[in-house]
């Protein structure tokens, strides 16, 4: 079942009155349960594509359907709600809320969704245990290592039970051990709980784990390799 | 709302030093503003007490034509019933008859125009504490036939206690008023003009001298708070017959009111400058706070918090700083001004002499009027609310992709 369908997508910036096509006519579909890496050199349009799919940026042309909804038609307020319920985000720089504990960070989105305290509490604990941080729930981000913070970010991304998780260079700031650990956790969540992950990455270790690798160059899809299909 | 407040509170303390500096700047601003206003209002109160209380009282009941013409023809009869009625009005602390006119005061060689004040000695002393100004002899008592002179007048006529003062004037309906009076005391009146002209007589003695039997120029009314004479004017006016009127000290001393008004306006300009400094100081703190948290705002909005709710959090942060600064500022200011209220600043040199010349005590007095303090607090609070609009606008214009790159 398709959860993301991108049709004829363009994103054009003006740089000193010169148009720059960050995304240049992309057509792409993502099925539920995929573990997909979008790769490409710097400036190839990976982050821009992920931002548009995540509803963080608007396309210049084309459409993005998520779960059957054309998100380019949504108002800013509705898009915010849509992101909250359907999309989980993992950022390169972790971007946890520094004044909240690990558990409170995970509960944050559920709180915005209006979940009851008992339910929030139980799910946050469950997710933090799942990412191996069951004993560090009450620590604030400043008391966690980079790898641990990124695992909290993964738990936060999953807290709202999203349709898919967008991870923009999630391992860029992590050492090898933390990267390995994080990827194992995400792969496990993907396999066991059928959570769809889409990464933009330069990291070969992520590419190795991904079951589908989409390569972008100059804003266009250069190759689309599905390892399951060979 | 609970989460917004919790987040705002924790955000405040993530940069403890900056928050403490921001709160301190508000505390010092409230302190300085309150101290300035307290000193201003304390000085006005002292001026009113010294200048107004020594002469006009806070309110006077008079004949409707008296204040314009000031003659004995416009005196009034104050019945015991009317006096009782006024005494019973709430906030009235004292009521006293006065008979005021002029006469020529003379010794065997010289004469000088004098202002004659017929008074109820005990009541008048409670109003003006004038007996404390006696330099020689004693102050008047009910039934006394003698007089008390200002020191300037006594010196001019070279008269002392026990000597005889000759008084020549015109009484009620043009009757000749002449008399010889024994000098019972000499006082050093704080007002130099009064010191050169004033002659105190017991009121019945003065009535006899001017043949104004049973009449008074005015009925002086005292209260505890010079700010609260408006309602007394209304209440007293309601019981007066149509030939009598009631005037407040503001009606009788418009020049004092004008002086206070213009001085207060100068103080308000100073305060406005101070508040602008406060506002810019707070604004710079809030601007820094907002600029360094762009990425965080971007992330929070990206994961689903609406801009409106995010604005509320940042609004609370600014308001918390404002509230904390105002409350601490209020407590410190009040304690500070209490000390100065009981220990007024003594003035020295020419300033002190000028104060004495105008009949005022040479001290910088302070007021503890509550509105002086909470007004500063409310104003600073509203400045903080106004400043909090900046982050609200900033968040409203937030672009997530740009914020995430910040």
């Amino acid at each position: 079942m398709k959860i993301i369908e991108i049709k004829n997508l363009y994103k054009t910036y003006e740089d000193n009155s010169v148009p720059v096509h960050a995304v240049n006519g992309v057509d792409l579909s993502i099925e539920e349960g995929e573990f997909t890496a979008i790769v490409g050199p710097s400036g190839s349009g990976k982050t821009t594509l992920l931002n548009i799919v995540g509803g963080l940026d608007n396309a210049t042309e084309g459409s993005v359907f998520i779960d059957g909804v054309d998100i380019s038609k949504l108002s800013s307020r509705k898009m915010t709600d849509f992101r909250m319920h359907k999309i989980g985000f993992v950022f390169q720089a972790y971007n946890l809320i520094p004044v909240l504990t690990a558990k409170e960070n995970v509960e944050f989105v559920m709180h915005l969704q209006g979940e009851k305290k008992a339910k929030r509490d139980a799910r946050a604990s469950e997710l933090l245990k799942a990412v191996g941080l069951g004993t560090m729930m009450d620590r604030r981000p400043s008391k966690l290592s980079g790898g641990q913070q990124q695992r909290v970010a993964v738990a936060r991304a999953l807290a709202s039970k999203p349709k898919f998780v967008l991870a923009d260079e999630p391992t860029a700031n992590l050492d090898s051990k933390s990267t390995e650990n994080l990827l194992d956790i995400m792969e496990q969540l993907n396999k066991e709980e059928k959570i769809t992950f889409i990464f933009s990455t330069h990291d070969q270790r992520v590419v190795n784990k991904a079951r589908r690798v989409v390569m972008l160059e100059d804003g266009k899809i250069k190759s689309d390799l599905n390892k399951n299909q060979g | 709302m609970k989460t917004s407040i919790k987040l705002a509170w924790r955000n405040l303390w993530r940069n403890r030093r900056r928050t403490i500096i921001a709160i301190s700047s508000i505390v010092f601003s409230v302190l300085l503003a309150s101290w300035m206003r307290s000193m201003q209002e304390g000085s006005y109160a002292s001026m009113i007490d010294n200048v107004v209380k020594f002469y006009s009282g806070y309110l006077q009941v008079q004949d409707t034509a008296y204040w314009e013409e000031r003659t004995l023809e416009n005196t009034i009869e104050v019945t015991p019933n009317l006096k009782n009625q006024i005494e019973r009005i709430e906030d009235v602390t004292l009521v006293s008859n006065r008979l005021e006119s002029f006469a020529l005061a003379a010794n065997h060689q010289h004469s000088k125009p004098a202002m004659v004040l017929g008074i109820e000695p005990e009541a008048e002393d409670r109003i003006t504490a004038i007996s404390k100004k006696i330099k020689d002899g004693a102050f008047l008592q009910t039934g006394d036939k003698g007089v008390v002179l200002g020191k300037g007048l006594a010196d001019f006529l070279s008269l002392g206690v026990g000597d005889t003062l000759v008084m020549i004037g015109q009484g009620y309906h043009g009757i000749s008023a002449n008399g010889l009076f024994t000098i019972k005391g000499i006082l050093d009146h704080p007002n130099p003009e009064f010191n050169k002209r004033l002659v105190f007589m017991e009121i019945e003695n003065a009535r006899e001298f001017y043949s104004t039997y049973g009449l008074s120029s005015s009925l002086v009314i005292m209260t505890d708070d010079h700010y609260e004479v408006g309602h007394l004017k209304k209440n007293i006016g309601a019981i007066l017959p149509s030939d009598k009127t009631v005037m407040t000290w503001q009606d009788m001393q418009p020049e004092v009111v004008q002086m206070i008004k213009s001085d207060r306006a100068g103080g308000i300009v100073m305060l406005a400058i101070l508040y602008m400094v406060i506002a810019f100081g707070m604004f710079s703190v809030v601007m820094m706070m907002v600029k360094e948290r762009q990425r965080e705002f971007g992330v929070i909005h990206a994961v689903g918090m609406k801009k409106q709710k995010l604005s509320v959090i940042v609004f609370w942060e600014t308001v918390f700083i404002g509230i904390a600064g105002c409350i601490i500022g209020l407590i410190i200011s009040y304690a500070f001004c209490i000390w100065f209220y009981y220990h007024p600043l003594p003035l020295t040199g020419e300033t002190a002499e000028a104060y004495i010349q105008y009949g005022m005590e040479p001290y910088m007095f302070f007021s503890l009027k509550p509105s002086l303090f909470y007004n500063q607090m409310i104003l600073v609070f509203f400045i903080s609310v106004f400043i909090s609009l900046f982050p609200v606008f900033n968040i409203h214009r937030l672009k997530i992709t740009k914020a995430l790159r910040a």
Side-chain angles (χ1 to χ4, degrees):
Chain A
M1 184 190 159
K2 284 179 192 169
I3 56 165
I4 301 173
E5 194 171 8
I6 301 166
K7 290 181 181 172
N8 198 28
L9 196 72
Y10 287 87
K11 179 70 182 180
T12 308
Y13 297 107
E14 292 278 329
D15 187 11
N16 291 327
S17 304
V18 178
V20 177
H21 303 290
V23 177
N24 196 3
V26 169
D27 288 284
L28 183 69
S29 294
I30 307 279
E31 298 284 331
E32 191 170 16
E34 281 192 15
F35 202 68
T36 301
I38 297 173
V39 298
S42 292
S44 59
K46 305 184 295 292
T47 299
T48 307
L49 180 64
L50 245 63
N51 283 344
I52 295 171
V53 172
L56 305 178
D57 202 356
N58 298 319
T60 309
E61 205 183 315
S63 46
V64 176
F65 288 85
I66 293 174
D67 215 15
V69 176
D70 183 356
I71 63 167
S72 59
K73 300 268 194 306
L74 297 177
S75 68
S76 172
R77 282 178 75 86
K78 282 190 176 162
M79 190 64 239
T80 307
D81 271 338
F82 193 84
R83 280 199 304 267
M84 179 169 66
H85 288 101
K86 306 276 184 180
I87 310 170
F89 292 93
V90 178
F91 301 97
Q92 180 181 336
Y94 331 132
N95 289 338
L96 299 176
I97 301 170
V99 294
L100 300 182
T101 62
K103 193 174 170 192
E104 286 169 336
N105 263 287
V106 177
E107 281 185 50
F108 185 72
V109 182
M110 289 186 278
H111 193 96
L112 295 176
Q113 288 177 319
E115 294 287 3
K116 292 252 179 338
K117 186 167 180 353
K119 199 171 174 185
R120 291 196 316 252
D121 202 56
R123 180 151 176 82
S125 302
E126 177 197 330
L127 286 167
L128 284 169
K129 280 175 193 159
V131 296
L133 294 172
T135 56
M136 298 179 185
M137 291 189 204
D138 295 324
R139 290 196 189 177
R140 288 198 181 180
S142 58
K143 301 288 179 197
L144 297 170
S145 69
Q148 287 166 339
Q149 285 189 55
Q150 198 61 303
R151 280 189 273 156
V152 176
V154 171
R156 177 178 69 181
L158 297 173
S160 61
K161 297 187 177 166
K163 283 284 172 188
F164 60 94
V165 173
L166 290 176
D168 186 14
E169 308 265 10
T171 57
N173 293 343
L174 301 183
D175 58 38
S176 322
K177 198 178 167 195
S178 300
T179 299
E180 203 63 43
N181 198 302
L182 184 78
L183 288 173
D184 286 345
I185 287 166
M186 290 200 280
E187 192 177 32
Q188 191 184 349
L189 288 165
N190 170 258
K191 282 180 178 163
E192 290 175 6
E193 306 207 11
K194 305 292 175 213
I195 293 162
T196 309
F197 280 90
I198 304 159
F199 306 92
S200 82
T201 187
H202 281 108
D203 193 336
Q204 193 55 44
R205 291 164 299 188
V206 180
V207 177
N208 293 341
K209 287 268 183 191
R211 291 199 297 280
R212 183 180 174 191
V213 180
V214 177
M215 183 157 195
L216 282 183
E217 203 172 274
D218 298 329
K220 291 179 179 173
I221 295 178
K222 192 181 174 194
S223 64
D224 185 351
L225 174 66
N226 194 328
K227 293 178 186 172
N228 291 340
Q229 293 169 353
Chain B
M1 182 60 84
K2 200 176 150 193
T3 309
S4 303
I5 292 174
K6 186 166 85 177
L7 264 173
W9 181 252
R10 288 191 188 174
N11 279 331
L12 270 189
W13 301 109
R14 63 202 283 186
N15 192 334
R16 194 178 296 264
R17 188 180 298 175
R18 187 179 59 199
T19 302
I20 289 171
I21 289 172
I23 291 174
S24 302
S25 73
I26 297 174
V27 169
F28 282 112
S29 307
V30 172
L31 175 62
L32 189 56
S34 303
W35 193 71
M36 268 176 64
R37 291 289 295 129
S38 171
M39 190 161 65
Q40 257 190 323
E41 292 299 326
S43 300
Y44 302 153
S46 162
M47 189 189 299
I48 293 163
D49 272 0
N50 282 285
V51 179
V52 177
K53 222 161 127 180
F54 267 124
Y55 178 54
S56 62
Y58 288 135
L59 298 112
Q60 282 191 10
V61 172
Q62 303 167 350
D63 181 272
T64 49
Y66 179 76
W67 194 249
E68 289 300 314
E69 298 171 13
R70 313 260 187 117
T71 69
L72 291 173
E73 307 312 312
N74 298 319
T75 45
I76 53 171
E77 184 186 356
V78 179
T79 62
N81 182 36
L82 177 63
K83 197 176 173 191
N84 280 341
Q85 274 185 293
I86 294 173
E87 277 171 339
R88 281 201 301 270
I89 291 173
E90 199 183 347
D91 295 335
V92 168
T93 54
L94 198 71
V95 178
S96 175
N97 280 286
R98 272 189 194 161
L99 181 67
E100 186 184 331
S101 191
F102 293 90
L104 207 59
N107 62 6
H108 61 288
Q109 279 183 320
H110 302 102
S111 64
K112 190 173 187 182
M115 178 181 163
V116 179
L117 209 54
I119 55 168
E120 296 179 38
E122 289 77 16
E124 190 71 26
D125 196 36
R126 283 173 62 196
I127 295 171
T128 61
I130 196 73
S131 63
K132 288 182 184 159
K133 307 289 178 187
I134 290 284
K135 290 288 164 199
D136 199 6
F139 192 61
L140 298 170
Q141 289 176 331
T142 304
D144 268 348
K145 296 292 180 190
V147 293
V148 168
L149 301 191
K151 191 171 180 303
L153 182 61
D155 288 347
F156 180 81
L157 297 173
S158 306
L159 295 173
V161 173
D163 291 341
T164 301
L165 178 73
V166 180
M167 298 280 281
I168 306 160
Q170 193 178 51
Y172 196 49
H173 293 323
I175 293 171
S176 170
N178 303 310
L180 298 174
F181 299 93
T182 305
I183 297 171
K184 189 179 178 191
I186 290 169
L187 61 80
D188 197 2
H189 200 284
N191 185 316
E193 273 307 302
F194 284 4
N195 212 24
K196 285 189 272 185
R197 298 183 185 282
L198 204 58
V199 176
F200 281 109
M201 282 186 195
E202 200 274 333
I203 192 159
E204 289 304 330
N205 199 16
R207 283 170 175 162
E208 199 176 321
F209 175 61
Y210 286 115
S211 307
T212 49
Y213 301 102
L215 299 175
S216 305
S217 313
S218 60
L219 190 65
V220 178
I221 297 154
M222 298 303 289
T223 180
D224 284 330
D225 188 351
H226 62 263
Y227 291 104
E228 301 295 333
V229 291
H231 73 287
L232 285 179
K233 182 179 181 176
K234 196 175 157 195
N235 294 344
I236 295 166
I239 59 169
L240 292 179
S242 60
D243 61 335
K244 293 184 180 68
T245 187
V246 59
M247 295 180 80
T248 63
W249 67 267
Q250 292 103 322
D251 300 328
M252 294 180 279
Q253 306 278 348
E255 65 285 356
V256 174
V257 176
Q258 194 52 46
M259 196 176 89
I260 289 173
K261 265 188 185 169
S262 50
D263 193 68
R264 196 176 270 149
I268 286 168
V269 170
M270 286 293 292
L271 277 184
I273 294 168
L274 180 68
Y275 287 133
M276 279 179 72
V277 174
I278 299 171
F280 279 111
M282 281 182 74
F283 184 72
S284 66
V285 169
V286 170
M287 198 165 75
M288 265 198 303
M289 182 179 86
V290 167
K291 289 293 170 196
E292 74 184 29
R293 285 167 61 196
Q294 286 297 294
R295 180 186 286 189
E296 183 185 323
F297 292 161
V299 171
I300 291 175
H301 184 40
V303 299
M305 182 176 268
K306 291 194 175 72
K307 286 179 176 177
Q308 191 187 351
K309 194 160 188 181
L310 185 53
S311 301
V312 170
I313 293 174
V314 184
F315 173 82
W316 274 116
E317 288 176 29
T318 318
V319 168
F320 276 148
I321 291 178
I323 291 175
C326 286
I327 291 175
I328 298 169
L330 181 77
I331 294 167
I332 294 177
S333 304
Y334 201 69
F336 196 67
C337 290
I338 283 177
W339 196 87
F340 279 102
Y341 181 80
Y342 290 108
H343 303 88
L345 291 173
L347 298 170
T348 54
E350 288 179 3
T351 315
E353 280 171 24
Y355 267 62
I356 293 165
Q357 282 287 308
Y358 283 99
M360 296 189 286
E361 292 176 77
Y363 285 94
M364 204 51 105
F365 290 97
F366 287 77
S367 169
L368 292 179
K369 196 178 167 194
S371 63
L372 295 177
F373 299 90
Y374 65 68
N375 280 347
Q376 313 314 318
M377 194 182 86
I378 291 169
L379 207 59
V380 174
F381 176 73
F382 277 108
I383 289 173
S384 69
V385 170
F386 178 72
I387 287 168
S388 66
L389 294 178
F390 166 74
V392 170
F393 284 128
N394 182 277
I395 288 165
H396 185 69
R397 294 203 314 261
L398 186 81
K399 294 263 180 259
I400 298 177
T401 47
K402 197 175 166 192
L404 290 175
R405 285 197 301 269

